[in-house]
Amino acid sequence: MEIVVNMQGITKEFPGVIANDKVDFDLRQGEIHALLGENGAGKSTLMSVLFGLFHPDEGSISIRGEEVRINSPRDATKLGIGMVHQHFKLVHNFTVAQNIILGEEDTKNGLLTMEKSIDKIRKLSELYKLKVDPYAKIEDISVGQQQRVEILKMLYREADILILDEPTAVLTPQEIDELIKILKSLAQEGKSIILITHKLKEIKMAADRCTVLRLGKKIGTVNVKKTTNEELAEMMVGREISFTIDKKKAEAGEVVLKVERLCVHSDRSKRDVVKEMGFEVRKGEILCIAGIEGNGQTELVEALTGLRPISGGSVVLNGKDITHASIRERSLAGMAHVPEDRQRHGLVLDYPLEYNLILQQYFAPPFQKKGFLQFAPIRSYAEKLIDAFDIRTGKGAIALARNMSGGNQQKAIIAREMSRHTDLLIAVQPTRGLDVGAIEYIHDLLVSQRDEGKAVLLISLDLYEVMSLSDRIVVIYEGENVGEFDPASVTERELGLYMSGSKRREAS
Amino acid sequence: MKDLWTKTLERIGRSPTRIEATSSVMAIVCGLLFGLALMLIVNPLEAFPGFFTVITGPFQEGLRSLGNMFYFGVPIILTGLSVAFAFRTGLFNIGATGQLTMGALTAVYIGVNWGFLGPFHWVVAVLGAMLAGALWGAIPGLLKAFRNVHEVVTSIMLNYVAMYFNTMIIMNFLYDFQASRTAHPLPSARLPVLFLQNIFPGSRINIGIFIAVFFVAITHILLKKTTFGYELKATGFSRDASRYAGMNEKRNIVLAMVIAGAISGVAGAMMYLIPGRHLPYETILITEGFTGIAIALLGLSAPIGVMLAGLFYGALHQGGTYLQLYDFRPEIIDIIIAVIIYFSALSLFLQKIVKTFIDKRTKASMGLSEEVETR
C-alpha cells in the first residue's frame, strides 16, 4: 500500500512546553489510522501541523512521496487534506448546500450557479451513503447530520486525506455506529482517514492502525486487531488503568432533593425547555441524568442551583422549599455545585487559587472577621485542600486560576465543593475534557462522596461515565424525563434509544 | 553597577505588577519626550530651559511650588480614584465629570446659603457634595444592574445633564450679578488650610490633600482587605462566577457606582470651596473628570498608583505655570499629558516591549557571567 502522508521528526515547541517531540507518523492509502493520547499529548498539535495551522520547528512532511511545506489550511486543501474540527465550522442559518460550497462557489457572470453544485453534492452523498437534504438549514438538522455536512465539505473539495478530530464526542451510540460505517465505506473507496480520539472502544471498532502519543512523544504504532484495550490504555497513560470503578452497592437513605413537575423557560422565547421534570435524589446514591447535549440539562441545572428562574413546579432540598430561593440561600441550605462551564462560572480566573477556594465561604468565619478577610486562615485552608486533592500549580496557593491547567482547575472546583459539607452535590460533566488519570481520580471522589452519605446528582453526556458511576439513571430528552433505569439491567444501546427520543416510558 | 542593573531588571521581570508599573513610567517618559520635541519645534532656543523648568516644576520656588503640586493633584487624585474604583468592579465610569459637577454645585450652594452652620459649614458642604456625587453615580449603576444599560452610555449622557443643570441652578439661585459670575462661598465654607500654610508658605495647599490621602487609604483597604472588596473585585473580574458564588452582583454594581460617584463629588468640593475659584456657570464640561480616566489608567487602577499618578499630574501642572516665562503657552502641559495617556493606552504593547527587553538582557547577562566563570 502506498504511503500518502509521511511526517518525520516533527517538533513543535510552545513557550514552556514541547507539544511534539520528534514525532514520526505515516498514513497509508485506504486505511483508518487512529491517533490516541490524553489531553495535552500533542494529537491536535500534530494534526494542526499537517493541516497548516502551525509551522513545525523541525521535521519534514511528505504527501504522496513528495516533500511539501504546508503554510496554511489553503495549502492543505490544495494537497487534498481535509479536516473536521471538534466544534463544527458551519453557518447556522445557511442551507446544507450553501455551507458545503462556501469558499468554492461556482459562479457565472458573478452570480451563483447552485444547480451544478447541488448535483455534485447529491452524487457524493449517494456514493458515500451520507444522507442529507441539501436544502435543509443547518439549525434544523441534528448534530449527526451536521457532521455529515462537514464530511461532505471535505469530499466536495476533493480531499482524500481526511482528519476527524474527536468526531464521536457529540453523538449517540446509534449515530456513532452510523459514522463508523461511513468511515469504513470511505476507506474502501480509497480515502485515507486519521481519527483523533481518546475512546478506546471506537478505535477497536473502526481503526486499522493506531499511533499513541504521550506528553508530546510518540510511544508507538500498533496494529489494532492484535492489541487489547488494556495495552492501548497503558501505552496512552504510561501505567495500568482500571476500567471498572470499585464501588459497593448503594445504600440509599432519605430523600435529599425532590424535584416535582419542574418547568424552565429558555432564554429568548417563553418556550419551556424543561417540561414537567420530576425526580428524587437520596442520601448515599448517585443519580445520573443522561442525555444528548442540548436537551435541557443546562437549563435544568441552572434552575436547580438558582442561576435561572423556575417557571413552574417545585424544588425541595432537605424538606425545605427552595423553588424561589437565591443562590446563596441554596448554597447555605446544603447544595454544592460543580458547574458545567468551569471557566465561566466555576472560577474567578483572575483570582489566586486561595481566593477561589473560598468563593462561597469568604463571608463566614474563620475567613471573615468584622468585614475583613482573614488571610492566615484562608491560606491554611487553601494549603489543606491543595494537599488533600493534589491540586498542582507552579506557585501553590497564590497561583492565578487562569494559569492553572484545565485538570487542576477542575480539581480546585471539586475540592471546594466537596469540602463544604453539604448534603447534595450537583456535578455537571465533571470530567469533560480531562485526561484518563484525572477522570479516574474524580470518579473515585464522586463515589467516596456517595459512600459518605451525600446525595450526588450527576449530569453527564458520556455514556460510559453514566453506566459505571450511577446507581440510578434518568434519561432526559427534549427537557422531559423519558425513563428511569437501573444501570445493572439496561444496556448502552437501550439507553441510546431513549436518549435519541425513539423510545420513551413514563417515569416509575 | 552593571550587576545592579541586571538585578533590577530581573526583579522587575519577576512580577507582572512591576512590569506594568515600568510600562507606565515608559509612557510618562515618551510623553515628556514628545513634549520636548514639540517645544523644540515651537521655540528651539527656549525649549531646553523651558522643559527643564517643567520637570522640576515642584522645586522651582521651594516649598511654595511643592505645596502647589499637592493642591493641583488633589482633584485629579480623587477623580482618578473614582474611575479606578469603578474599574475594579468591571465598570467604566466616564461620568466622573458629571458627578464632580453635581458635587461642586451642591458644595457651592451650601457654601453660599448655609452660613448658619458656623464651624461645621465646610464639613457639611463637603458631605453634601459627596452625597450629590453618590446619587449621580447611582443612576448609571442602577440602570446597569437592573436593566443592563451600558454604564458608558448613561454616564456620558449624565455629564451633559449635570452640565446644563449646573448652569440652570447657578443662573437662578447662585448668580452674583455685580461680579457677573457665580457667587462665592462664604469664608466659613472654605476648606481649612490648617498648619499647612506654615510649612508651605505662599502656596495654595489646603486640607484637601489629607482628604485625598484619606480616600486613597480607605479604598486601598476596602479593595485589599475586606470581604466587600473581595466581592467587588470578583464581580469585576467575572459577573458569572460571582453570581454562581451567590454574591448579589446587582447590589455590588450599584454600590460600586455610588462609591465612585461619592469620590468624584468630593473632588468637586475640593475644587470650588477655595478662595478665588468660581464654579463656571457656562455650559462647559469640567475636564478634571476626564483627566481622572487617564490618571486611573496610568496608576494601573490601584489606589496607591492613582495617588502617585495624580501627584505627578500636579507636578506637571505646577511646572506648566512657569512656561509663560519662556514664551510657551501652558497648554503644552495638556498636550504632554494627552500624549502620556495615549502611551498608557498602549500599555499592553509597552509591557510586551519591557518584557522582551528584560528577558533578553537577563538572559544575555546570565550567559555572559557563566562564560566569565568558566574562564
Side-chain angles (χ1 to χ4, degrees), chain B residues 96-109:
Chain B
T97 289
Q99 294 143 17
L100 182 152
T101 307
M102 293 310 283
L105 180 64
T106 311
V108 171
Y109 184 88

Side-chain angles (χ1 to χ4, degrees), chain A residues 92 94 135-143 145-146:
Chain A
H92 276 237
F94 271 21
Y135 295 105
K137 278 198 176 169
I138 295 296
E139 56 197 4
D140 299 330
I141 63 176
S142 73
V143 178
Q145 284 177 314
Q146 288 178 14

Side-chain angles (χ1 to χ4, degrees), chain B residues 327-344:
Chain B
D327 226 7
F328 287 108
R329 297 194 66 83
E331 280 81 5
I332 281 194
I333 291 300
D334 292 328
I335 294 176
I336 291 177
I337 288 167
V339 173
I340 290 173
I341 294 157
Y342 267 101
F343 277 101
S344 45

Side-chain angles (χ1 to χ4, degrees), chain B residues 240-271:
Chain B
D240 286 318
S242 53
R243 214 160 96 73
Y244 155 87
M247 296 171 193
N248 189 342
E249 100 280 13
K250 291 194 165 87
R251 190 202 63 179
N252 288 349
I253 285 171
V254 177
L255 279 180
M257 280 308 290
V258 165
I259 293 171
I263 300 173
S264 282
V266 171
M270 296 302 116
M271 283 174 68

Side-chain angles (χ1 to χ4, degrees), chain A residues 76-341:
Chain A
T77 311
K78 271 191 208 135
L79 289 164
I81 303 172
M83 184 160 180
V84 177
H85 297 270
Q86 198 173 351
H87 301 283
F88 302 152
K89 313 228 179 279
L90 296 171
V91 184
H92 276 237
N93 49 0
F94 271 21
T95 65
V96 168
Q98 283 171 332
N99 265 288
I100 291 173
I101 64 164
L102 199 63
E104 302 272 320
E105 303 90 350
D106 279 321
T107 53
K108 196 175 163 187
N109 308 326
L111 298 171
L112 278 175
T113 49
M114 291 294 285
E115 298 78 21
K116 230 175 86 189
S117 319
I118 287 182
D119 230 39
K120 190 173 166 190
I121 294 170
R122 284 241 161 83
K123 272 188 197 133
L124 282 172
S125 60
E126 247 163 68
L127 178 61
Y128 297 108
K129 298 182 186 61
L130 289 157
K131 266 194 298 180
V132 276
D133 173 9
Y135 295 105
K137 278 198 176 169
I138 295 296
E139 56 197 4
D140 299 330
I141 63 176
S142 73
V143 178
Q145 284 177 314
Q146 288 178 14
Q147 191 167 52
R148 288 185 206 164
V149 177
E150 282 281 10
I151 296 173
L152 275 172
K153 230 162 94 180
M154 295 193 293
L155 298 173
Y156 188 84
R157 285 161 180 68
E158 269 138 33
D160 46 20
I161 298 163
L162 312 180
I163 308 168
L164 290 103
D165 190 358
E166 306 264 357
T168 59
V170 289
L171 305 181
T172 62
Q174 283 78 7
E175 284 175 322
I176 291 172
D177 288 352
E178 198 84 356
L179 175 70
I180 287 175
K181 247 188 252 163
I182 291 167
L183 293 183
K184 283 190 167 161
S185 83
L186 283 168
Q188 249 158 32
E189 295 290 330
K191 308 278 182 194
S192 319
I193 298 168
I194 303 171
L195 191 64
I196 305 176
T197 183
H198 54 231
K199 290 189 185 158
L200 300 171
K201 214 176 72 189
E202 285 149 21
I203 294 177
K204 283 302 258 187
M205 278 159 65
D208 303 305
R209 289 194 302 157
C210 175
T211 294
V212 184
L213 297 183
R214 191 202 308 152
L215 298 173
K217 287 203 171 81
K218 176 177 170 174
I219 303 301
T221 300
V222 294
N223 185 329
V224 172
K225 302 258 155 20
K226 293 178 188 156
T227 320
T228 64
N229 275 353
E230 284 73 15
E231 282 167 333
L232 282 175
E234 211 178 314
M235 282 174 79
M236 171 163 75
V237 188
R239 63 186 164 88
E240 270 186 67
I241 282 285
S242 70
F243 280 99
T244 47
I245 294 163
D246 273 334
K247 63 173 188 157
K248 303 178 296 220
K249 226 180 136 31
E251 291 165 28
E254 59 204 87
V255 175
V256 174
L257 180 75
K258 191 175 171 71
V259 179
E260 275 181 312
R261 305 177 74 83
L262 182 72
C263 293
V264 186
H265 284 327
S266 70
D267 281 329
R268 272 170 260 154
S269 61
K270 288 274 175 209
R271 204 167 49 85
D272 277 339
V273 277
V274 175
K275 297 166 204 149
E276 307 242 317
M277 186 86 181
F279 56 88
E280 283 176 354
V281 195
R282 292 166 179 280
K283 270 197 169 151
E285 72 164 357
I286 299 178
L287 173 72
C288 186
I289 308 251
I292 302 164
E293 190 156 14
N295 272 288
Q297 295 99 318
T298 307
E299 290 81 4
L300 171 67
V301 172
E302 287 182 354
L304 291 179
T305 52
L307 285 163
R308 182 187 284 268
I310 288 170
S311 57
S314 70
V315 181
V316 177
L317 178 65
N318 280 332
K320 193 178 154 201
D321 188 339
I322 56 159
T323 314
H324 301 290
S326 72
I327 298 169
R328 174 69 45 86
E329 282 161 358
R330 288 170 207 238
S331 151
L332 293 176
M335 181 186 283
H337 174 201
V338 177
E340 179 176 4
D341 190 333

